Amino acid sequence: MANQKNLLTFLPSLLLSFSLWGHEPLLMAAKEVIPVGVVLDLKSPVGRVAESYMSMALYDFYAVNYDYHTRLALFTKDSGDGVLTAASTAMDLMKREEVQAIIGPQSSAQARFVIELGRKAQVPIISFSATSPSLSPSQNPFFIRTTQEDSAQVRAISDIVKAFGWWEIVIIYEDTDYGNGLIPYLMEALQQIDTRVTYRSVIPPSSNNTEISEELEKLKANHTRIFLVHMAASLGSKLFVLAKNAGMMSEGYAWILTEGLSSLLDPMGSKVMDSMQGLLGIRPYIPPSKQLKDFEIKWRRNLTSIKTKSKSTTSLNLFGLWAYDTVWALAIAVEKAGMVHSSFLKQNNSSSKVDLATLGIFEMGTRLCNAILTTVFQGLSGNFHLVNGQLEPSAVEIFNVIGKTERIIGYWTRQRGFSQNLNYTGKEAYSTSKDKLKQPIWPGDTTEQPTKLRIGVPVRTSFNEFLKVEWPTDKPSISGFAIDVFHAVQDALPFPLPHEFIPYMNKHRQSNGSYDELLYQITIQKYDAVVGDTTIVANRSLYVDFTLPYTESGVSMVVLVKDDVRKNLWIFLKPLSLTLWLTTGVAFIFTGLVIWVLEHRVNPDFRGPPKQQLGLIFWFSFSTLAFAHKENVVNNWSRFVLIIWIFVVLILTQSYTASLTSILTVQRLQPTFIDIKVIKNNGYFVGYQKDSFVKGLLIKQLDFPESKLKPYVTPEEYHEALSRGTHNGGVAAIFDEIPYIKLFLAKFCSRYTMVGPTYKTDGFGFAFRQGSPLVPYFSRAILNVTQDKEKIGAIEHKYFSSQTTCEDQSTTILSHSPSLGVDSFGGLFIIAGTASLASLMFYLFKFIYSHWPVLSDNNPTNSCWSKLVNMAKHFDQKDFSSHTFKEESHKGSEFH
């Protein structure tokens, strides 16, 4: 009875299909009629198209396979868009019609509940449109997906974003299982290519036009102009009409569609298509075939009778093709599994549609599932081959909406990336270059790629070597060292970077504020970046991210120099410091005294009246300066001391001569100030570059009162202020960054010098919004440019080689005393002093040792002091034992 009942139900549907396509009914003896449930939203484009395509599939399959012993009977039910309705409909089909498989439901949210019913009843649930990755066939053995999972398209999307160099993107998706399921995969893929998702716009399917418009206004206020849309056609059609009304389909914007919406563009009306001009989309590639061409001809020929029911269009629909192939796959599997109609086990007699206890178990469900999973054939949509319970991913075609058509601009495959065709030889390298794609026409009917990087640049009135803004026409011309470095860095990036320079100016084309204020414009999204002579300092990094520096920097002090030291009458004293002069004088006297002691008893030249002996001590030692001493020395100890002393004198005289020569022949300038404390303690004024961070450094770090600070702009103003001095309306010093100081000194080097300590900064860098993915790319590119000496050298030579240069100020400017100090000759004095003292002590010890016994024997009662006095008298006497006096005595005897 059950078989007869199902047969009676099946025959009218079959006869309708035959008459629908203009054929006479065929007499077919069906041994087994297999009831199959179909759960669709017949009010949606997908539902209407799928119903028509499945009816055609049923007829086409059995027209070819008329000898099959099984026949499918489709029981189609309208579930609407409700989740509970879809579950109730599926349960009713299982209970009342005893369907052995269900095709559907249509949405991922509906499928989640129906899959659970199928698991309980062991009825295969086959969906051609539930694409959410959150539904996994591997976790649900009775769920089969005859479409491609959404996550299969993620890599193709990320490659498109990477190819066009989009570093930021906004994702717009519907708040459903279908919309939410893909987002984690998209986020991960975009993170891998360093593209930042600045905002995720979640739009509920029930949103009205006002709510969608409000969300679009939020997106419009955002700085990001690249949008990735993942939603169903019903919501997407409203979104793009409203986006066009909001001016968001104009030049500078870019839109990308995921497969779900891209596969349903054709059913949309002309108004919706007009609002989607210039967007990019991806969808699975459908290979051409004779079977597909014949189907399309048949579809068009019979469109009149179908259109009334399905309200479809003339073009083929991807979801419809998947529905068509699903019917074929199920028909093949039913025959292959040898299915027979049988009732569910454990069925009770409850008439409730929602009583789960009424569900029986389909005994052959597992066999049917295995048969479907192993079914392989060439369908209308391509090769039907299930992998892990779902359709194997195919190639992707990338299209550009132009007019009322979708222009194919390229293809993407997992093996080779982008290409212009799908003739894969196995030798091509994987490519993500946009050169492999045709030129898209972007929103606004332009070929200029969105979006441009909005770069703020400071407007300078001085130091134009670093950055110069001119207006030869209404469009500014921007040049300078910083700009050329930026272009060199841009060329070193691994992706294109469209950009525009926007001067930070007021209506009078003058600077609109300080550098800190310019950088703050990034945080309020007026600019995406700032390029210029922008110094990297700690407080700025609190609200922007800097790249690595492209030039060194630091803050130092410029002061006026004094007159030429050669005009000093006492210049001859400058080579040696005062301490060295005194030390040398003491050494001369001490050495003279030592020589006199050693020579007095044995050398007639060192004897005579006390005044003569005193003069001889000074004369002998100082005459060694010019090696003009005439007195001979006869004591070996004296000769030892004199040799070492003459060596010391030689070095001193040579060093003195060299230092004095340097002073007299090389121009030496003396800075007016070398210590910041002197300037602060005397309350002198100091200057700084206007709108520079140096003002904050002077106040916070160096503790200068703000009342003592004067801002200046040009090098000429620096020159005038320093020339006038702090007492005549000028300043005692100018504080600025070293690159600017070098340019200033290149023009006025003869009158000024850079002195004092250097307060370290990290140099000039490019600034971006915090968290910008461009920062690491720019930093790596800056390293490549700055380490290429030829490249960076050419840029520096272009802007700085024409400046006049000063001599090396480290040898011409006297920041400190140039005099030689004792430290330079300490070793020599120690050697000479030790030699003299040792010789003296040895000589005196020998003298005392030889005369002390004689004095003690002659006057044993005398005190020690008396003995020393007598010994001094003996010291003043000649030493006749010396060979000098022996020779004189011998000569006298011969004379007499």
Side-chain angles (χ1 to χ4, degrees), residues 293-310:
K293 185 176 181 181
D294 293 343
F295 176 83
E296 186 174 9
I297 294 173
K298 188 190 308 181
W299 170 258
R300 292 179 184 275
R301 184 174 64 239
N302 296 282
L303 185 61
T304 304
S305 59
I306 296 296
K307 191 171 183 179
T308 303
K309 183 178 180 181
S310 67

Side-chain angles (χ1 to χ4, degrees), residues 655-679:
S655 300
Y656 174 86
T657 303
S659 181
L660 182 60
T661 302
S662 175
I663 293 174
L664 293 175
T665 58
V666 180
Q667 181 183 12
R668 288 185 173 269
L669 305 175
Q670 181 72 30
T672 52
F673 300 99
I674 60 173
D675 193 348
I676 295 176
K677 293 181 180 179
V678 176
I679 299 176

Side-chain angles (χ1 to χ4, degrees), residues 122-124 141-142 362-373:
Q122 297 186 9
V123 173
F142 289 93
F362 178 43
E363 292 182 292
M364 302 185 68
T366 302
R367 183 195 301 180
L368 180 57
C369 269
N370 292 334
I372 297 172
L373 293 174

Side-chain angles (χ1 to χ4, degrees), residues 203-218 231 233-246 248 271-272:
I203 301 179
S206 59
S207 299
N208 55 38
N209 288 352
T210 301
E211 293 170 335
I212 297 175
S213 295
E214 290 176 354
E215 183 66 19
L216 288 173
E217 287 300 323
K218 293 180 183 177
M231 56 181 55
S234 56
L235 185 59
S237 59
K238 294 192 293 183
L239 174 74
F240 283 103
V241 171
L242 295 173
K244 183 178 181 181
N245 294 338
M248 298 175 67
K271 182 179 180 181
V272 177

Side-chain angles (χ1 to χ4, degrees), residues 432-446:
T432 57
S433 171
K434 68 176 183 178
D435 295 335
K436 296 289 186 178
L437 304 175
K438 296 178 182 178
Q439 172 64 54
I441 305 298
W442 301 103
D445 195 25
T446 178

Side-chain angles (χ1 to χ4, degrees), residues 827-841:
L828 287 175
F829 286 121
I830 291 173
I831 293 173
T834 302
S836 299
L837 188 60
S839 299
L840 179 62
M841 295 302 294

